[in-house]
Amino acid sequence: MSRPLGLTPVDKLEFLILVDNFVEWLSALPPGFTQELSQHILSKGVPIDTLTGLPVVDLDNYCCETTIGDQTHTVLFDSGPEPHSIERNIKSMKVDLTPLDGIVLSHWHRDHSGGITKVLEMREEQIIRQSAQRIENVTVDLHPSRPIRRGISRPPEYTPICTDPPDPTFTETQDRHGQVELNDQPHEMIHSLGNKMGIGISGEIERVTEFEVGLPGALTWMKDENGEEGWFNDHLIKDERYAVVDVKGHGLVVFSACSHAGICNVIHSLLPLNRPIHAIVGGLHLAPIQSQPAKQTVEFLSERIIPLPNYVLPLHCTGLEARAMLRDRLGDRVVPCGTGISVVWSGTDEDDEILDEEGGFKIVSRVA
């Protein structure tokens, strides 16, 4: 982060994993976590089987990638790869978009930006359906360096093999009542009425570890200094940002979408906040373990942070082998999570006084 991030503590954080390429229905979860299955069968509108009188597991309306919200402000963090998944999941989970205060895009990769315009469209439809009030613009927080295209190359020659679809344009976003705000600096999200939301967004993440090398093979189609367009190696993905919330009595909850910058670099950048880490949520991009620093990252998360994070919720691009390594080293601190799981953490000023006495976290030298 290029300058310190000030952050307003919140009394309550509630988030719903709205789109992820991992589904978890059956594993035991800690207090505060709720699986998708129970949310459906306990909802008011659940269909009832006429023969048995029991709630129907309505598979036609179940989800198959993330929403952050607290008690008074609601923010969507990323939007999945394309419009269909998030549309289906919003309908399935009966998510009310009318109070949406903002959308944050972690980085310009289509598997994170693909649903933005669909969410804005659905918000418009919900507002029109529920009332005749005027549709106000909603903040869409974006890094200014939107690429023309992003693609993938194959090592060792790094020959381009495919391209992502284009990300939504600023104009497409604005046409759906999205108020585009471009920001590459650390900042706290501000509501349209001027009050702070308690949701911090990082700027460019400083790279301080030696083992986190970005995304080898990543390409960006851009113009060079002479104005000519073409593919350029872009393994650092410098436009990537994370979100962080400070929950009273618990500490920092960090949402890292892909961790192309490296989750250990993310954690280093949180040191100035002087608060313990309560939870790490998101993709850690430790697959494949042959080219990503899974062993070093697991060692860092399990041995070098004091006190340890209370929870690690590995999602998206973490990889099966890395999930197993994390679970083996951190035990029940690693929570099996996926689409449809909701989490609620809350605290008070009194809880926070106790936490303040304990101080923030520290990073210790490598264990021999």
Side-chain angles (χ1 to χ4, degrees):
M1 296 164 66
S2 49
R3 57 180 168 79
L5 171 67
L7 194 56
T8 305
V10 304
D11 297 296
K12 181 179 180 181
L13 168 68
E14 179 175 357
F15 64 92
L16 168 67
I17 301 171
L18 192 55
V19 184
D20 186 42
N21 47 346
F22 188 82
V23 176
E24 177 54 65
W25 281 3
L26 302 175
S27 298
L29 298 178
F33 289 70
T34 306
Q35 285 161 332
E36 179 193 7
L37 184 62
S38 59
Q39 293 179 71
H40 277 283
I41 64 176
L42 295 176
S43 66
K44 292 181 180 179
V46 63
I48 302 297
D49 178 38
T50 56
L51 176 63
T52 64
L54 295 177
V56 176
V57 180
D58 188 10
L59 295 175
D60 286 347
N61 282 317
Y62 272 45
C63 308
C64 33
E65 258 176 33
T66 324
T67 302
I68 310 169
D70 62 28
Q71 197 168 23
T72 56
H73 300 294
T74 303
V75 170
L76 176 70
F77 185 61
D78 287 353
S79 64
E82 34 70 37
H84 307 297
S85 297
I86 198 161
E87 178 183 24
R88 182 172 186 265
N89 294 359
I90 286 172
K91 291 178 178 178
S92 170
M93 300 304 294
K94 299 177 175 60
V95 176
D96 183 6
L97 295 174
T98 60
L100 187 65
D101 296 310
I103 298 174
V104 178
L105 178 64
S106 62
H107 63 297
W108 291 107
H109 265 160
R110 176 57 188 266
D111 60 328
H112 294 259
S113 68
I116 288 178
T117 54
K118 174 54 70 173
V119 170
L120 292 171
E121 177 186 322
M122 295 182 73
R123 172 181 175 267
E124 290 177 342
E125 293 171 350
Q126 287 187 9
I127 291 174
I128 292 170
R129 189 164 58 245
Q130 294 182 24
S131 69
Q133 69 185 51
R134 179 173 175 266
I135 301 175
E136 301 289 343
N137 288 347
V138 62
T139 297
V140 182
D141 193 307
L142 306 169
H143 192 284
S145 299
R146 178 186 178 276
I148 300 172
R149 290 287 189 280
R150 276 204 155 134
I152 301 172
S153 62
R154 179 186 290 125
E157 295 84 8
Y158 292 108
T159 303
I161 58 173
C162 63
T163 180
D164 290 346
D167 295 286
T169 66
F170 299 151
T171 299
E172 289 171 339
T173 302
Q174 291 165 336
D175 286 346
R176 289 297 185 183
H177 289 95
Q179 178 65 47
V180 172
E181 294 190 5
L182 305 179
N183 210 320
D184 60 1
Q185 295 296 314
H187 60 285
E188 182 171 348
M189 294 197 71
I190 305 296
H191 190 271
S192 58
L193 298 177
N195 52 311
K196 296 180 178 180
M197 295 191 199
I199 301 171
I201 309 300
S202 75
E204 182 180 324
I205 303 163
E206 185 179 0
R207 316 301 167 101
V208 296
T209 66
E210 295 181 356
F211 55 85
E212 293 175 307
V213 296
L215 183 61
L219 301 173
T220 295
W221 184 278
M222 63 178 73
K223 292 182 179 180
D224 63 17
E225 60 272 13
N226 299 318
E228 296 186 10
E229 293 187 5
W231 287 116
F232 291 83
N233 290 324
D234 190 20
H235 65 281
L236 293 181
I237 317 290
K238 288 188 174 183
D239 54 284
E240 185 184 42
R241 308 175 300 165
Y242 62 81
V244 60
V245 178
D246 185 1
V247 185
K248 292 179 181 179
H250 296 281
L252 303 177
V253 179
V254 58
F255 296 87
S256 185
C258 258
S259 307
H260 293 307
I263 193 62
C264 306
N265 283 323
V266 167
I267 291 169
H268 272 283
S269 75
L270 294 170
L271 279 167
L273 293 178
N274 195 33
R275 297 280 284 173
I277 297 175
H278 180 57
I280 298 167
V281 184
L284 305 183
H285 219 297
L286 298 176
I289 61 172
Q290 291 80 8
S291 59
Q292 291 292 337
K295 181 179 179 181
Q296 299 97 316
T297 300
V298 171
E299 178 204 45
F300 185 97
L301 295 178
S302 62
E303 297 182 11
R304 298 184 58 195
I305 305 172
I306 298 178
L308 290 173
N310 292 323
Y311 296 109
V312 177
L313 281 59
L315 300 169
H316 185 38
C317 53
T318 301
L320 179 62
E321 292 162 299
R323 288 175 195 256
M325 293 166 64
L326 286 164
R327 182 78 175 191
D328 181 61
R329 296 292 291 274
L330 288 166
D332 290 343
R333 294 175 187 268
V334 177
V335 182
C337 276
T339 302
I341 286 180
S342 69
V343 185
V344 180
W345 288 308
S346 59
T348 65
D349 290 331
E350 290 74 20
D351 297 329
D352 221 40
E353 289 176 5
I354 298 173
L355 199 66
D356 281 340
E357 292 175 2
E358 299 172 354
F361 72 97
K362 62 179 179 180
I363 299 172
V364 300
S365 300
R366 186 182 299 276
V367 177

